[in-house]
Amino acid sequence: MQHKTQLTLSFLLSQVLLLACAEDLECVPGFQQKVFYIEKPFEFREDQLILNLKFDDCQGNNKLNFEVSNPDFRVELDGNLVALKNVSEVGRALFVHARSEHAEDMAEIFILEANEKRGALKEILKLEGNLGIPRQKRAILATPILIPENQRPPFPRLVGKVIRSEGTEGVKFRLSGKGVDQDPKGIFRINEMNGEVSVTRTLDREAIANYELEVEVVDMNGKTLDGPVRLDVSVIDQNDNRPMFKEGPYVGHVMEGSATGTTVMRMAAFDADDAGTDNALLRYNILRQTPTKPSPNMFYIDPEKGDIVTVVSPALLDRETMESPKYELVIEAKDMGGMDVGLTGTATATILIDDKNDHAPEFTKKEFQATVKEGVTGVIVNLTVGDRDDPATGAWRAAYSIINGNPGQSFEIHTNPQTNEGMLSVVKPLDYEISAFHTLLIKVENEDPLIPDITYGPSSTATVQITVEDVNEGPVFHPNPMAVTKQENIPVGSVVLTVNATDPDTLQHQTIRYSVYKDPAGWLEINPTNGTVGTTAVLDRESPFVHNNVYTALFLAIDSGNPPATGTGTLHITLEDVNDNVPSLYPTLAKVCDDAKDLRVVVLGASDKDLHPNTDPFKFELSKQSGPEKLWRINRLNNTHAQVILLQNLKKANYNIPISVTDSGKPPLTNTTELRLQVCTCKKSKMDCSASDALHISLTLILLSLLSLFCL
């Protein structure tokens, strides 16, 4: 609209300039007045003369014809603009295109309210005062050029003329700017001799709506004499673009039972034509509705805004009674304000009738039956309900609850999401001997709350009768697991404990016999009649079958039913430690260089499979050394370690050092272990322990040992 106003002011200014300089200029082809303001009446009457348009091509107006942008008007050959019929609504502007053999031009007629007309004239006067109408002659007069888009050949086509008041002899006109010597090049050109401006091809207003050119007058040597002067070229819109719906798909939602006049969605089309003309003035219409029931006119579209609203009563907008909850509307957008000559575009609007929770779920029957064996868990019956609401919503999805008959919380109910059925399950095994029958009261509701005027009725509750079947249950150990504490190494045949199992089937009076089920080490036996458990082997706490001092065995209790039922009992025997394991010594091999300066040979450690206090502190001792002098000694480092030290360097050989280790048990246990000591030759950080002299040295040691024994 701002651009339109600028064009109008430009036209007004050009006309004022023409009038001011008329006495100095030759005939200018085209409309003698290009812009008109008329006050809009209540109605333009048929054949009413509105105004007279003066057109002169300066050569007799041969083959002159006029075209009007609004088909409700025409221009007669004498330039009179008249109405073709009674017209009460027209656009904001009319365009009149005139064409003769030698010229063509465009005039613009603004239809204004009375106050708008006065304001427009006031603006014109203000413009004249501010800009100042030149009183002297202007060298170049370049009036704005209006060119309709989509003109047909032939080209080039004369569209305007630049006038030089001082004549054109010995000078040239030069045209420049976008559309001449700038991209897109070559659209316009000027006759160098007389200033006539031509267009060379069809124009597209939607591509470029305005061109700002410059014209100047130069001498034959190219020197500028006048200008440059701005020459505006405006492309006049034609209705060559259909309305388009670009933002699809168009999907709207409306809740069932909505009030008449509820807005569903908005449809908005786009027209690339000039937004200030009727070419882009859109009106909307519903062409078709599918389906057509319960009414062929379920919706209405605001012709100007494109808002789709409901027009039927809330009672007809009932999702459950409709043929389909989805309606498709073919929407038409027509330009030219919706007149018959307008171009159209269509789109499909999909409207979904959303469900609200106006139907309570109802059980398909008042009472359901179920049978379950005692001791069994899982689903025992599926409860079926009906609901007329939309299955894809919380208004249909069921939520079940047990409102009576479940004090022990033995039952639970969950919803099957696919079928909406209530799956009643036993989660705690039932006991026939306690109760053979159960009666549950179940209630069903929707995930979403019901609308205020709908309530849950008697059909939303149902009774479930459950019958418990008696089965032969296995005997039960008391307690289970069983636990005793015994010392390891108790005598074979010792009684560990007597197990006790009872049969839950108190009404069947069955007998029970016992047997060993799992005895990993084979240490136990059980009396089949009275359940007494005894030992058949020595219990060993250090056995690999004992974990964390506990030995575990399983026993069976079997009743006399048909078929017999079995119960399993677990026995944990905690074994107390006794000192029945001698300590062990590590390592048993050590190496030392024959010239070593550090004669600390090795640190020895001791370990014991028993538990405290039958283990450390350990006592380390050397057996009596043979020979005339002592060769080594042992020093205790702590409760579990000692160090062997040589008293002098020895020759390369192998030596066996007997060492005894005693634990702290009561009574203590002693173990003697020989430490093998290798004396090696060490050169350049390499140790040679080959036993080349070992035999000789060993024999010598043996002889010395024998002599020592004889001398004792």
Side-chain angles (χ1 to χ4, degrees):
M1 195 63 187
Q2 182 180 1
H3 170 64
K4 181 71 67 180
T5 303
Q6 291 174 346
L7 273 179
T8 302
L9 293 176
S10 177
F11 293 148
L12 288 172
L13 180 58
S14 67
Q15 298 308 305
V16 176
L17 290 172
L18 283 172
L19 292 173
C21 304
E23 61 188 38
D24 302 306
L25 302 176
E26 59 187 34
C27 176
V28 178
F31 284 105
Q32 302 307 299
Q33 181 177 341
K34 296 182 182 292
V35 180
F36 298 86
Y37 289 89
I38 61 175
E39 185 174 344
K40 178 181 176 182
F42 175 75
E43 183 180 49
F44 290 103
R45 307 296 298 176
E46 183 177 354
D47 294 330
Q48 174 187 347
L49 174 62
I50 300 171
L51 55 84
N52 183 262
L53 304 169
K54 297 294 185 181
F55 179 86
D56 189 357
D57 67 357
C58 303
Q59 297 191 39
N61 287 349
N62 190 28
K63 295 185 179 180
L64 174 63
N65 65 79
F66 297 94
E67 295 178 354
V68 187
S69 62
N70 192 317
D72 292 336
F73 300 87
R74 76 166 182 270
V75 178
E76 298 175 342
L77 290 178
D78 58 1
N80 288 336
L81 176 66
V82 298
L84 294 178
K85 61 182 181 179
N86 296 346
V87 182
S88 59
E89 293 291 336
V90 296
R92 299 283 294 173
L94 301 176
F95 294 97
V96 179
H97 182 216
R99 177 187 298 173
S100 70
E101 282 188 337
H102 302 287
E104 64 178 304
D105 201 359
M106 185 75 69
E108 192 171 11
I109 303 162
F110 287 90
I111 303 172
L112 306 175
E113 304 294 342
N115 57 343
E116 289 181 320
K117 182 176 181 183
R118 288 192 295 271
L121 294 175
K122 185 177 179 180
E123 291 298 320
I124 295 170
L125 295 176
K126 184 187 295 184
L127 177 65
E128 179 181 349
N130 289 341
L131 299 180
I133 300 301
R135 300 303 180 186
Q136 72 279 7
K137 299 178 181 179
R138 290 181 57 87
I140 301 176
L141 182 62
T143 59
I145 298 174
L146 299 178
I147 306 174
E149 66 174 334
N150 303 324
Q151 287 183 317
R152 295 186 294 272
F155 292 103
R157 182 189 294 269
L158 182 65
V159 293
K161 185 175 183 180
V162 177
I163 300 172
R164 184 171 186 260
S165 61
E166 298 179 0
T168 59
E169 186 176 350
V171 298
K172 295 181 180 180
F173 291 91
R174 179 181 294 167
L175 191 63
S176 62
K178 180 180 178 181
V180 182
D181 55 355
Q182 299 176 23
D183 290 333
K185 297 179 180 180
I187 296 177
F188 304 100
R189 66 188 184 192
I190 192 169
N191 188 310
E192 293 182 345
M193 306 309 297
N194 60 20
E196 291 181 345
V197 179
S198 302
V199 64
T200 63
R201 68 187 76 160
T202 300
L203 301 183
D204 183 1
R205 190 202 68 85
E206 285 69 46
I208 302 177
N210 298 283
Y211 297 86
E212 295 181 0
L213 309 179
E214 288 187 344
V215 62
E216 59 183 348
V217 176
V218 301
D219 61 17
M220 294 303 175
N221 296 321
K223 180 180 179 181
T224 301
L225 299 177
D226 296 308
V229 174
R230 177 171 163 175
L231 174 60
D232 288 322
V233 179
S234 297
V235 183
I236 302 303
D237 187 43
Q238 289 188 345
N239 194 17
D240 59 344
N241 288 278
R242 293 182 178 276
M244 296 179 62
F245 291 90
K246 293 184 175 182
E247 299 177 359
Y250 297 91
V251 180
H253 293 261
V254 63
M255 188 70 69
E256 65 172 331
S258 295
T260 303
T262 299
T263 299
V264 180
M265 61 190 298
R266 170 169 288 187
M267 301 290 290
F270 168 77
D271 195 312
D273 291 320
D274 188 351
T277 69
D278 286 352
N279 295 339
L281 183 61
L282 303 183
R283 292 293 181 265
Y284 299 94
N285 181 43
I286 298 177
L287 295 181
R288 185 171 61 256
Q289 170 191 304
T290 305
T292 59
K293 295 179 180 180
S295 169
N297 300 303
M298 299 285 291
F299 306 95
Y300 165 80
I301 188 168
D302 187 302
E304 296 184 4
K305 297 179 181 179
D307 289 339
I308 299 176
V309 299
T310 61
V311 293
V312 294
S313 66
L316 285 181
L317 206 62
D318 185 356
R319 188 184 183 282
E320 286 72 38
T321 61
M322 289 178 170
E323 178 181 321
S324 170
K326 181 173 74 173
Y327 288 85
E328 290 190 347
L329 307 180
V330 178
I331 306 299
E332 176 190 69
K334 181 182 288 188
D335 59 21
M336 297 301 293
M339 292 188 299
D340 292 342
V341 295
L343 301 178
T344 62
T346 60
T348 299
T350 301
I351 299 178
L352 301 175
I353 311 301
D354 291 336
D355 188 37
K356 63 181 179 181
N357 199 5
D358 55 352
H359 294 88
E362 297 180 347
F363 283 101
T364 57
K365 52 186 179 180
K366 290 300 295 180
E367 185 174 292
F368 294 85
Q369 303 289 334
T371 301
V372 58
K373 294 180 182 294
E374 66 171 332
V376 175
T377 60
V379 177
I380 59 174
V381 65
N382 289 328
L383 310 179
T384 54
V385 297
D387 195 316
R388 297 172 62 191
D389 292 312
D390 183 1
T393 66
W396 176 82
R397 290 190 291 269
Y400 297 86
S401 58
I402 303 172
I403 59 177
N404 197 13
N406 191 27
Q409 306 301 311
S410 299
F411 303 93
E412 285 184 359
I413 187 166
H414 300 280
T415 304
N416 185 321
Q418 280 73 42
T419 65
N420 219 27
E421 294 178 341
M423 301 181 295
L424 180 63
S425 303
V426 176
V427 293
K428 293 182 181 179
L430 304 177
D431 191 340
Y432 173 84
E433 283 71 30
I434 295 176
S435 177
F437 300 96
H438 296 268
T439 300
L440 304 181
L441 185 60
I442 310 294
K443 181 179 181 180
V444 62
E445 299 175 308
N446 288 132
E447 289 184 3
D448 292 347
L450 295 172
I451 61 175
D453 54 342
I454 302 295
T455 59
Y456 293 104
S459 297
S460 295
T461 59
T463 301
V464 182
Q465 299 290 347
I466 301 169
T467 301
V468 183
E469 292 183 345
D470 188 24
V471 297
N472 187 21
E473 300 171 84
V476 178
F477 283 87
H478 305 283
N480 194 20
M482 301 161 281
V484 295
T485 300
K486 297 291 180 180
Q487 266 196 345
E488 64 175 335
N489 299 335
I490 60 175
V492 174
S494 299
V495 174
V496 178
L497 86 164
T498 298
V499 301
N500 179 35
T502 60
D503 194 334
D505 300 306
T506 56
L507 302 179
Q508 299 183 25
H509 306 292
Q510 299 180 123
T511 59
I512 296 175
R513 59 184 177 86
Y514 301 96
S515 66
V516 176
Y517 179 42
K518 286 186 179 180
D519 179 17
W523 292 342
L524 305 173
E525 64 180 0
I526 189 170
N527 186 301
T529 303
N530 61 21
T532 299
V533 177
T535 62
T536 60
V538 175
L539 307 182
D540 183 7
R541 190 197 65 83
E542 290 76 33
S543 168
F545 298 105
V546 177
H547 303 283
N548 296 323
N549 305 322
V550 177
Y551 179 71
T552 300
L554 301 180
F555 298 92
L556 297 179
I558 307 168
D559 66 20
S560 57
N562 187 20
T566 302
T568 303
T570 301
L571 172 62
H572 296 306
I573 304 175
T574 300
L575 296 176
E576 294 179 340
D577 186 44
V578 297
N579 194 18
D580 58 349
N581 289 279
V582 298
S584 60
L585 190 72
Y586 61 90
T588 58
L589 174 66
K591 296 180 181 182
V592 65
C593 294
D594 56 1
D595 58 353
K597 295 180 180 181
D598 186 357
L599 299 179
R600 290 175 294 183
V601 177
V602 67
V603 173
L604 300 176
S607 62
D608 196 317
K609 293 182 180 180
D610 294 317
L611 298 177
H612 187 77
N614 296 321
T615 57
D616 62 271
F618 296 110
K619 180 180 178 182
F620 298 88
E621 292 180 309
L622 287 172
S623 297
K624 184 176 181 180
Q625 299 184 41
S626 60
E629 56 182 336
K630 294 183 178 180
L631 300 178
W632 40 73
R633 74 169 184 266
I634 188 167
N635 292 340
R636 184 171 176 269
L637 297 178
N638 53 36
N639 289 346
T640 57
H641 291 79
Q643 189 172 53
V644 176
I645 301 174
L646 290 180
L647 300 179
Q648 63 184 24
N649 291 106
L650 300 178
K651 293 183 179 181
K652 180 179 179 182
N654 292 333
Y655 301 87
N656 292 325
I657 306 173
I659 299 174
S660 63
V661 183
T662 305
D663 63 24
S664 297
K666 293 182 180 180
L669 297 179
T670 300
N671 180 30
T672 300
T673 303
E674 284 194 345
L675 171 67
R676 184 183 180 191
L677 176 65
Q678 290 184 335
V679 179
C680 308
T681 301
C682 301
K683 294 181 179 180
K684 297 181 180 181
S685 301
K686 292 183 179 181
M687 179 177 284
D688 181 11
C689 297
S690 58
S692 58
D693 299 327
L695 180 61
H696 169 72
I697 295 173
S698 298
L699 290 174
T700 302
L701 287 174
I702 292 171
L703 291 174
L704 289 173
S705 300
L706 291 174
L707 289 172
S708 173
L709 290 173
F710 285 121
C711 293
L712 290 176

